[in-house]
Amino acid sequence: RYPDGNGFALKAALSRKHGVAPDRIVLGNGSNDILELATQAFLRPGDHAVYAQHAFAVYPLAVQARGAAGIEVAARDYGHDLPAMRAAITRETRIVFVANPNNPTGTWIAPAALEAFIASVPHDVLVVLDEAYNEYLEPADRADSVGWIAKYPNLLVSRSFSKAYGLAALRIGYGVANAGVADMMNRVRQPF
C-alpha cells in the first residue's frame, strides 16, 4: 500500500479545524517545503523578496535558489521592522516573508500591527506569514491569520506540525491560502 500523496484525510481535518476548503490547503515536507514552494511559484531571476535580518535562514537560501534578489531589512530589537519592510517593497518585489513568532530570535508581532502591515502590502506581492512556532504563543496572543485569508488574497499562512506537536521526524508542514494566491501565481507565470 502506498500512502495518500494528496493527504486527503489530513487536509479534511485541517479544513474542518480552520474552516477553509481543502483545496486551499497544501501539504509539504515540513514548513520549509511550503516556503520553498512559494519561492518556486512566485520568483524568477531578477525578482525581489523582502525579509527581516535575523529571520529564518531558509528565506535567503530559497530566494537565492531561484536566482532572485533577497532584500534583508535591518532588524529592530532583533525583530521585524514592519515600516522598514514595507518601505523596501518595490515594483520588483514578489514575496515578503514574515515569521511570527520569529525564528530564531523569538520576537513577536501583535496581531493588530501584523494585520495592518499585511493590509499595506500591494496585492500583487505575496505575503508569506510563517507561523511555525504559532502554538507556542499564549492563545490570546495568536493572530486569526487563517481567518485573514478571506480578506487578503495575497496572504499565504505557513505552519508546521514539527514543533509543538513533536512530529519532527514526520516532516509535515502546511500552507493555507485563498484562490487569490493561485490567481497571483498564474499572473506571475505568464510569459514575458
Side-chain angles (χ1 to χ4, degrees):
R1 292 191 145 195
Y2 289 98
D4 173 15
N6 191 38
F8 178 83
L10 180 56
K11 284 184 181 179
L14 289 168
S15 172
R16 287 188 302 274
K17 175 182 170 68
H18 293 300
V20 298
D23 66 350
R24 302 292 71 151
I25 299 168
V26 64
L27 302 177
N29 183 12
S31 59
N32 284 26
D33 200 25
I34 302 302
L35 304 173
E36 290 180 26
L37 288 170
T39 64
Q40 289 174 8
F42 285 89
L43 294 179
R44 296 182 193 184
D47 289 341
H48 293 181
V50 174
Y51 45 82
Q53 177 189 23
H54 307 306
F56 189 32
V58 166
Y59 306 155
L61 296 173
V63 170
Q64 182 182 25
R66 302 293 149 266
I71 309 302
E72 184 178 273
V73 176
R76 179 184 291 166
D77 298 323
Y78 297 98
H80 294 67
D81 183 341
L82 295 179
M85 290 178 70
R86 176 59 184 92
I89 296 173
T90 67
R91 289 182 47 210
E92 292 78 25
T93 305
R94 299 289 171 259
I95 298 178
V96 175
F97 290 99
V98 178
N100 198 44
N102 189 32
N103 171 18
T105 65
T107 56
W108 165 78
I109 304 165
L114 185 57
E115 185 177 11
F117 172 76
I118 294 166
S120 78
V121 172
H123 290 287
D124 62 342
V125 175
L126 179 68
V127 177
V128 177
L129 179 55
D130 179 359
E131 292 187 327
Y133 291 87
N134 185 59
E135 289 82 7
Y136 290 104
L137 292 172
E138 292 293 330
D141 292 335
R142 296 179 193 161
D144 181 25
S145 54
V146 173
W148 296 344
I149 288 170
K151 287 170 61 174
Y152 305 105
N154 59 328
L155 176 62
L156 168 68
V157 176
S158 174
R159 294 200 178 153
S160 173
F161 288 100
S162 300
K163 313 300 187 273
Y165 297 100
L167 300 175
L170 294 179
R171 300 293 304 147
I172 303 171
Y174 66 99
V176 183
N178 77 18
V181 171
D183 293 340
M184 287 175 62
M185 186 175 70
N186 289 332
R187 285 193 303 274
V188 169
R189 293 252 178 219
Q190 296 299 318
F192 288 98

